Amino acid sequence: MFTTLATGIKPESLDQVAPFLYLIFAGITVFSAWMIVISQNIVRMAMYLLFTLGGVAGLYFLMNAEFLAAIQLIVYAGGTLILIVFGVMLTSKNPFMRLHTYLWERFVAVGLGALLAMLTTIALVNTPIKQSASDQMVNHDIHTIGSTLLGPFLVPFEVAAVLLLVVMIGAAFMARSRA
Amino acid sequence: MTTLALFEPGLYHLVGVSIALLAAGVAVILTKRNAVGILMGVELILNAAGINFVAFNNYVWDNAMDGQMFTLFIIVLAAAEAAVALAIFLNFYNNFDTINVDQADELQG
Amino acid sequence: MLLSDPQWLPQLLADLKLVMPEVILVVTMCMVLIVPFFKKGNVVLPVFVSMFGLLMALLYTQGIHLGVMDADRTGQVFTNTLAIDPFSSFFKTMLMIFAMLIIVQWTLFGREKTHALDAPDFLCLLLGATFGMCLMASANNLIMIFIATESASIPSYALAGFRKKNRMATEGSLKYVLFGSVSSAVMIYGMSMIYGVSGSLQLSHIAGSINQMGMTPLMVVGLVGMFAGFAFKLSAVPMHFWCPDVFEGAPTEVTTFLSVASKSAAVCMLARVMQNLGTIVIDEQVLIGIALGVGALGAVTATWGNLVALHQTNLKRLLAYSSISHAGYMIMGCAVLLLVDPKLILSALLFYVLVYMFMNLGAFTIAAVFERQLGTLNISDYAGLLKKSPVLAILLIVFMLSLFGMPGLGGFMGKLFLGVGLVKAGTLGTVLLGVLLLNTLFSLWYYLRPCYFMVFATPDTQKQLPVIQPLRPALWAILAVCCIMLLWTGLLPAITSDIAQDNGRMIVSSAKRQIALESEHTSTVPKRVVFTVAQ
């Protein structure tokens, strides 16, 4: 754990706080995700989504994916979420209005979500997964990420670039005012 | 110390979080009437998938970086999808003065 | 292959030659965006540029296909992310021809003032979607499936809402984007589970891991999630709600494009997944289970589409539900891919897609003419149209009968080849064939209804419909091409089916498949296409 971050700090001491960090990040993530379900106010929902995204970034951090954690914070929490907040502000006359949902609807939805979670959990528990600590574990540093992106993942990388161009054209067309 | 060792993060801890996020996402998609709200539910499911990928990459299949790379692309694609989706919501709002999905019922049959 | 490998650059350049059609499409897209800086408000120039680009890409695809450009390399390129094989090349050729026809159709129909200003945006989005669909046809890897699906879908969302002031179009695109993003999220979650069990993103490795570990519950969950995402692109039944709404609201050119191109690209993607599973997985039980699931999806989709189409009064909605049921037939074909000689089914699918492309193009073009000139899509308003504009009415009857599967027209041969494939697949195939036949019988009713109104019904004297103005020659040309192709494939199917059979082959990387291919080589396959199977 903390392969690259741990320069200067003894890894063992960080291993000791890992359970605490896990509890904190997982708690934030799950709590604010469910607060989105419960909340009736669209701005509050966006705020809770921010906490969820931050918590997920923390979990990536715990899983040796520092680069992903940074990207999650910069692109997701910093970019996509701002986009969503803009969407909220531009498309509601009163952003603080309460969204109306019936109680039975909420119960059915939560029930369905819980059912899905239960099915997935049962599948997970019944599947033998060999957790490995293999010797050939790759180093998750930025150099490996770069050469992987330009190596096996070259085509998806380039296609994502083309896709972003198309998205820009599409979004600009849909949102601009002329006819 | 024993209770703490129980929370030493492992595969099942992380996938558990992911399943909780999945359930929350599905519930959000089913309850919210606001199009932006539904989009938030989608983001929750995407994050759940991302946690899965990184967790499986880190704890099970750690001889390559496939899972982390997939999560990277999920983040990019989520941003792209949100951009187009919000442009379409904005356009819908200009025509209908609302983005409540209940109002989108002129096409029937 | 990593950057440190000295073979990285030569390998990259060699692989690049095989994906040149896609590269040409991207370059064309950029050119279309640059053109307005030189000549603002011109329609002809961007249309010309994009037609030229599509033509170049088409020629290059055929070049790769015939081995002119690069004699001995078709295969899996870029460390197995893409598979360039006869099946995908043939599909790409069809897709590019289709995109060109769509551009012609769009250029001819648009008369608004904004048309010229929007031309680059429209063409760019259309080319972007075509690019994504080309990649869908050769995606050989979970991450490629995901990105290709997204890059085909996201431009489609914008295209569906292209008429921005139109309330129906806006509503259709809103539903499309919401359904699309939810289903793609579910697909990605399924993929994460598949990755968790198998540890790889390669389709062939995933199939291999099913051999090793058996069908674990988590793998089932993952596959169900992934197929749910495919079902959205195919408009298969639990995910079909977007289809009629989007088709009714979107401009007709876009509707035609989505109904044919996006569905058949998804069929190709599904076929490739099934083909990988079918050639590598050994356990019969697992194969039959998957085939049963996918076959049930197809059967339910076909039946549901037909049943709902029975009481449609709007021509475009009727065609939308008919396209749902056609997608169902193609899914049934994909399902039995696991159980029989894949070549039979793959060539039947190619033939079906080819015929379906011309049927739908023709039918939607006429629907667009009626919508613009008569101002109504209501079927009962078309009473007595045979007398007023006989040629259009007869053409629509031809397309409708072909969609139904009248012997002598292309649609019949498509269904026949699919049926032959289904029969060979044991009990499951026979049941699916029964579903296909029953559905064809059902569909006769609603395909004949517009024909009945046009031929026999007496027009309502209260309602005076405007007279149909003479169409532009190019539009007649499109309709004539569709009609001739249907007659040709229906009456003389041998040539087309030979081409389809020549191309009904896919590359799967595994030892077992390699041996099969080599033996195939020495016996039947002419030297036109040479395989090298990676790994």
Side-chain angles (χ1 to χ4, degrees):
Chain A
M1 192 153 296
F2 298 107
T3 41
T4 51
L5 191 78
T7 41
I9 313 167
K10 274 186 187 169
E12 300 88 51
S13 61
L14 272 173
D15 266 349
Q16 279 181 353
V17 291
F20 288 112
L21 289 178
Y22 167 74
L23 279 179
I24 291 170
F25 289 136
I28 291 175
T29 309
V30 174
F31 172 76
S32 41
W34 279 95
M35 284 309 282
I36 298 177
V37 181
I38 294 165
S39 174
Q40 298 278 303
N41 178 316
I42 188 91
V43 177
R44 289 237 176 93
M45 281 161 61
M47 206 58 214
Y48 284 124
L49 186 62
L50 174 65
F51 287 128
T52 310
L53 297 176
V56 172
L59 291 176
Y60 288 160
F61 214 49
L62 273 179
M63 291 187 281
N64 291 326
E66 293 89 359
F67 181 70
L68 265 185
I71 294 293
Q72 168 93 4
L73 280 179
I74 295 169
V75 177
Y76 226 133
T80 311
L81 191 78
I82 299 299
L83 208 61
I84 287 178
V85 172
F86 263 114
V88 170
M89 293 300 176
L90 287 170
T91 53
S92 49
K93 294 199 190 81
N94 171 17
F96 297 98
M97 71 176 182
R98 294 176 65 78
L99 303 171
H100 228 64
T101 40
Y102 298 109
L103 199 61
W104 67 267
E105 270 183 334
R106 269 188 278 166
F107 274 117
V108 168
V110 171
L112 272 175
L115 188 71
L116 206 62
M118 215 167 68
L119 283 177
T120 320
T121 315
I122 290 171
L124 181 73
V125 171
N126 286 319
T127 304
I129 295 174
K130 182 175 53 106
Q131 293 198 42
S132 74
S134 71
D135 321 323
Q136 44 171 345
M137 179 175 164
V138 289
N139 202 1
H140 292 176
D141 61 359
I142 195 82
H143 178 259
T144 324
I145 292 173
S147 59
T148 316
L149 266 183
L150 287 185
F153 290 87
L154 182 64
V155 182
F157 185 61
E158 297 298 332
V159 174
V162 176
L163 177 65
L164 287 177
L165 172 72
V166 178
V167 162
M168 204 169 69
I169 307 293
F173 174 79
M174 292 306 291
R176 76 171 172 225
S177 57
R178 193 189 72 215
Chain B
M1 205 55 215
T2 43
T3 43
L4 263 190
L6 216 57
F7 292 107
E8 180 68 40
L11 176 70
Y12 290 103
H13 298 85
L14 271 306
V15 179
V17 173
S18 145
I19 289 175
L21 276 192
L22 171 76
V26 170
V28 167
I29 289 170
L30 291 175
T31 44
K32 303 300 174 198
R33 287 282 160 272
N34 186 305
V36 179
I38 295 176
L39 196 66
M40 288 184 196
V42 172
E43 306 293 342
L44 285 182
I45 299 185
L46 289 176
N47 270 287
I51 294 179
N52 262 348
F53 270 115
V54 179
F56 281 120
N57 195 169
N58 193 41
Y59 295 113
V60 188
W61 310 103
D62 53 4
N63 54 353
M65 296 194 66
D66 291 358
Q68 282 203 27
M69 285 298 141
F70 207 113
T71 310
L72 201 60
F73 285 103
I74 290 177
I75 293 174
V76 173
L77 266 291
E81 211 167 51
V84 169
L86 287 170
I88 287 173
F89 297 165
L90 207 59
N91 198 26
F92 186 82
Y93 179 75
N94 287 339
N95 281 318
F96 286 74
D97 251 18
T98 174
I99 53 167
N100 275 11
V101 186
D102 287 348
Q103 248 67 40
D105 57 357
E106 290 189 2
L107 294 169
Q108 288 282 325
Chain C
M1 181 159 308
L2 287 176
L3 274 177
S4 48
D5 195 320
Q7 281 295 306
W8 184 75
L9 193 63
Q11 182 72 40
L12 185 77
L13 292 177
D15 285 351
L16 202 59
K17 281 186 194 162
L18 289 177
V19 293
M20 267 322 260
E22 283 86 350
V23 175
I24 293 174
L25 280 182
V26 174
V27 172
T28 313
M29 216 166 74
C30 299
M31 294 292 287
V32 168
L33 286 179
I34 293 172
V35 161
F37 288 110
F38 298 109
K39 228 172 170 186
K40 205 170 158 62
N42 187 333
V43 186
V44 181
L45 205 57
V47 167
F48 176 76
V49 168
S50 51
M51 293 289 271
F52 183 75
L54 278 170
L55 191 67
M56 282 290 112
L58 176 73
L59 291 178
Y60 212 107
T61 314
Q62 277 305 306
I64 292 170
H65 190 172
L66 299 174
V68 178
M69 302 287 182
D70 200 349
D72 51 22
R73 290 200 68 248
T74 57
Q76 297 180 323
V77 294
F78 293 113
T79 45
N80 293 358
T81 37
L82 293 174
I84 311 292
D85 49 17
F87 185 82
S88 66
S89 303
F90 188 73
F91 175 74
K92 279 176 205 169
T93 315
M94 286 197 288
L95 189 64
M96 281 160 195
I97 294 174
F98 189 66
M100 286 164 80
L101 291 173
I102 293 289
I103 292 177
V104 173
Q105 201 192 17
W106 181 77
T107 319
L108 293 175
F109 275 131
R111 295 209 182 80
E112 294 93 356
K113 221 195 307 174
T114 53
H115 195 71
L117 292 172
D118 290 339
D121 301 270
F122 179 84
L123 293 169
C124 181
L125 290 173
L126 191 76
L127 289 169
T130 313
F131 170 72
M133 285 161 195
C134 285
L135 291 174
M136 272 166 89
S138 11
N140 199 23
N141 178 319
L142 286 190
I143 198 161
M144 214 49 230
I145 287 178
F146 158 53
I147 290 210
T149 315
E150 289 295 300
S151 54
S153 304
I154 292 181
S156 309
Y157 302 150
L159 281 176
F162 204 76
R163 292 187 295 188
K164 290 201 306 187
K165 294 289 172 197
N166 185 311
R167 283 168 73 97
M168 281 203 311
T170 326
E171 189 184 325
S173 77
L174 180 81
K175 285 181 179 166
Y176 197 16
V177 76
L178 286 178
F179 267 102
S181 49
V182 171
S183 65
S184 80
V186 172
M187 178 169 86
I188 293 166
Y189 199 85
M191 284 178 174
S192 77
M193 289 303 184
I194 295 176
Y195 170 73
V197 183
S198 66
S200 173
L201 300 175
Q202 294 293 334
L203 290 180
S204 51
H205 293 182
I206 291 164
S209 91
I210 293 180
N211 272 349
Q212 269 177 14
M213 309 177 60
M215 202 65 179
T216 49
L218 209 55
M219 181 61 104
V220 176
V221 170
L223 282 178
V224 167
M226 192 168 86
F227 283 137
F230 284 14
F232 161 76
K233 285 305 284 177
L234 290 159
S235 67
V237 149
M239 302 288 210
H240 69 288
F241 295 103
W242 61 274
C243 184
D245 292 346
V246 171
F247 283 14
E248 195 182 348
T252 311
E253 307 82 55
V254 176
T255 308
T256 324
F257 186 69
L258 293 182
S259 75
V260 177
S262 112
K263 279 184 198 188
S264 47
V267 167
C268 284
M269 199 163 72
L270 181 63
R272 192 174 296 283
V273 173
M274 297 301 260
Q275 167 81 332
N276 272 284
L277 291 174
T279 31
I280 296 172
V281 175
I282 301 164
D283 191 353
E284 276 302 311
Q285 273 332 96
V286 171
L287 286 182
I288 289 177
I290 297 174
L292 201 65
V294 178
L297 183 75
V300 171
T301 304
T303 314
W304 183 268
N306 276 324
L307 288 181
V308 182
L310 288 179
H311 61 83
Q312 291 304 318
T313 52
N314 181 309
L315 187 58
K316 258 178 156 181
R317 283 185 91 83
L318 190 150
L319 286 171
Y321 281 107
S322 115
S323 84
I324 291 178
S325 64
H326 280 276
Y329 303 148
M330 289 192 259
I331 299 171
M332 288 198 259
C334 290
V336 296
L337 200 56
L338 293 174
L339 304 175
V340 293
D341 176 22
K343 194 175 167 184
L344 197 67
I345 297 288
L346 289 180
S347 53
L349 280 177
L350 282 180
F351 191 91
Y352 202 98
V353 168
L354 180 74
V355 172
Y356 176 66
M357 174 173 124
F358 287 107
M359 295 191 288
N360 253 16
L361 180 65
F364 272 114
T365 309
I366 292 185
V369 171
F370 285 171
E371 188 185 13
R372 283 188 168 264
Q373 303 223 359
L374 303 178
T376 171
L377 276 169
N378 209 335
I379 289 170
S380 52
D381 288 346
Y382 297 156
L385 214 62
L386 185 69
K387 291 201 188 78
K388 277 192 252 168
S389 51
V391 184
L392 275 182
I394 288 172
L395 280 172
L396 183 60
I397 292 172
V398 168
F399 296 138
M400 282 298 184
L401 287 179
S402 177
L403 280 168
F404 153 67
M406 177 89 161
L409 291 170
F412 173 72
M413 295 315 289
K415 279 183 181 163
L416 187 71
F417 287 138
L418 209 57
V420 170
L422 288 175
V423 163
K424 302 237 163 131
T427 327
L428 175 66
T430 319
V431 172
L432 288 179
L433 182 68
V435 174
L436 177 75
L437 288 177
L438 263 180
N439 270 301
T440 307
L441 272 183
F442 275 143
S443 66
L444 184 62
W445 161 255
Y446 67 84
Y447 284 132
L448 281 186
R449 242 164 48 113
C451 307
Y452 166 79
F453 274 108
M454 286 189 300
V455 179
F456 297 112
T458 43
D460 191 354
T461 41
Q462 307 290 322
K463 260 190 198 165
Q464 268 309 326
L465 285 180
V467 182
I468 292 184
Q469 306 295 322
L471 302 182
R472 301 194 192 180
L475 213 52
W476 281 121
I478 290 185
L479 290 174
V481 165
C482 293
C483 188
I484 289 169
M485 281 303 289
L486 288 183
L487 286 171
W488 185 53
T489 48
L491 296 172
L492 302 164
I495 303 170
T496 328
S497 78
D498 275 357
I499 298 173
Q501 273 181 11
D502 245 16
N503 291 297
R505 274 169 294 138
M506 262 186 195
I507 295 178
V508 172
S509 64
S510 81
K512 189 178 152 196
R513 179 69 181 161
Q514 196 163 13
I515 297 161
L517 273 177
E518 271 160 12
S519 63
E520 204 178 317
H521 254 307
T522 45
S523 56
T524 52
V525 181
K527 58 268 151 253
R528 265 176 53 192
V529 184
V530 185
F531 289 92
T532 44
V533 177
Q535 290 185 347

